[in-house]
Amino acid sequence: MIFLECYFCLFSATKFTVKIEEMQPSIFKPGQVDLPLTAAEWLKRFRTQNALFLEENEFTASRKYVWSKRESSESGSPIISIIDYGINRVKYAADCVNVVIREVKLQSQNFSKPVIVVVDGGNQFFCETTIKREDKTLLPPDDVSLVHNLKKLFHSDWKNGAVVVSVDERNAYNMQKSSYLPRYLLQKEGFELFDPFVPILVDNYTEKEASSCLDYYIDRMWIQNAKARTESGKKELMYLTGFNPRELQLISNAI
């Protein structure tokens, strides 16, 4: 068993490139845009998931960070204070995310336990976004400051960590769905960035796994239909979806 020191969960990559709630011009990087609400949400999740690590370790800023003429975080400031600053001052949330990433990469080799980065649908970081400029052209992913900074975690220039990324053809926006393989979905940039990596094909559920999944849905009251909650109903759902995890989830949402 691996005990993790610090955990990065980036939720679905579409949160940074497709399902955008609000954006603003980047304060520090001309030409880029910030996603303040998304960044603040990520900081809240990071703070919750890594509460024990942040409380028990002297994880502090390696240098001074200046936010405005009147506001700054001094060298030696606890990183948790910078996280809280980004949550409370949403305007600077995206830049606070960048500070967290920079400091984790810089200090990870001194952590007693490894860091893990988990991304769902990471190929979206290498596809066109649905964010439009004023001239209606689509913004490249690297022009989104959050994406630009989060992709720094994929580089092999830091130690004592691991990166786990799923690729999903459903996240290949503005691409022909002609292949589910990493080389196609990540495109040249993403494939070369991750290379070398260990590919893992995630198969469909076994009957036992599908049954356990449906039992969980039933226990959480996510499946309301009485017939679907019976053994025969569960088997019908399994075969209707071909034991595919995503399809099983979707059809369960409707009943």
Side-chain angles (χ1 to χ4, degrees):
M1 180 180 294
I2 299 176
F3 293 92
L4 303 175
E5 187 77 60
C6 184
Y7 176 58
F8 277 87
C9 179
L10 307 190
F11 25 78
S12 174
T14 57
K15 289 282 289 184
F16 307 98
T17 56
V18 179
K19 301 174 182 179
I20 305 304
E21 298 178 18
E22 181 183 345
M23 65 179 183
Q24 66 183 29
S26 175
I27 299 171
F28 298 106
K29 294 286 185 180
Q32 291 188 350
V33 299
D34 289 341
L35 310 178
L37 296 181
T38 303
E41 182 185 354
W42 184 88
L43 287 170
K44 290 177 184 177
R45 178 174 293 195
F46 181 87
R47 194 187 196 288
T48 300
Q49 291 173 329
N50 295 285
L52 189 63
F53 164 72
L54 293 169
E55 290 171 6
E56 294 183 349
N57 292 270
E58 292 188 7
F59 185 32
T60 59
S62 62
R63 65 176 178 84
K64 181 178 180 179
Y65 293 98
V66 178
W67 310 111
S68 66
K69 291 182 179 179
R70 296 183 179 181
E71 298 174 301
S72 64
S73 297
E74 298 296 326
S75 176
S77 299
I79 294 299
I80 195 169
S81 69
I82 296 176
I83 293 172
D84 289 339
Y85 179 80
I87 294 171
N88 296 321
R89 297 292 307 276
V90 177
K91 178 181 179 181
Y92 300 104
D95 297 295
C96 290
V97 171
N98 188 30
V99 169
V100 173
I101 292 169
R102 181 184 184 278
E103 294 294 343
V104 166
K105 289 183 63 176
L106 193 64
Q107 302 182 48
S108 62
Q109 60 184 342
N110 300 322
F111 296 165
S112 60
K113 300 166 190 172
V115 177
I116 189 167
V117 179
V118 181
V119 187
D120 180 27
N123 53 297
Q124 186 56 45
F125 282 162
F126 305 94
C127 300
E128 281 188 345
T129 72
T130 60
I131 307 171
K132 292 184 178 180
R133 300 187 182 94
E134 291 183 358
D135 62 2
K136 304 301 181 182
T137 58
L138 294 176
L139 205 66
D142 280 331
D143 283 354
V144 181
S145 61
L146 270 177
V147 173
H148 176 78
N149 291 322
L150 289 168
K151 283 168 70 173
K152 295 176 183 177
L153 290 165
F154 301 158
H155 290 266
S156 58
D157 57 352
W158 57 291
K159 299 179 180 179
N160 197 28
V163 179
V164 180
V165 178
S166 72
V167 294
D168 190 337
E169 58 187 321
R170 292 178 296 112
N171 284 359
Y173 290 94
N174 299 318
M175 290 177 63
Q176 292 184 347
K177 309 297 191 296
S178 59
S179 176
Y180 64 88
L181 297 175
R183 176 62 182 86
Y184 176 78
L185 294 176
L186 289 170
Q187 303 187 69
K188 186 175 185 292
E189 178 197 356
F191 193 83
E192 291 181 351
L193 179 60
F194 287 115
D195 190 46
F197 61 89
V198 180
I200 302 173
L201 176 64
V202 180
D203 291 319
N204 287 338
Y205 284 144
T206 63
E207 185 169 348
K208 182 177 180 181
E209 289 171 336
S211 180
S212 296
C213 180
L214 288 170
D215 286 341
Y216 177 75
Y217 291 161
I218 292 169
D219 178 70
R220 305 304 298 174
M221 302 297 291
W222 293 343
I223 295 179
Q224 296 290 320
N225 187 290
K227 291 183 179 180
R229 297 163 69 93
T230 65
E231 286 301 316
S232 60
K234 286 166 58 180
K235 287 187 177 180
E236 185 174 345
L237 290 175
M238 293 180 204
Y239 288 102
L240 277 173
T241 59
F243 295 87
N244 182 274
R246 174 65 174 171
E247 295 301 322
L248 190 61
Q249 179 191 27
L250 290 175
I251 200 170
S252 298
N253 288 341
I255 56 174

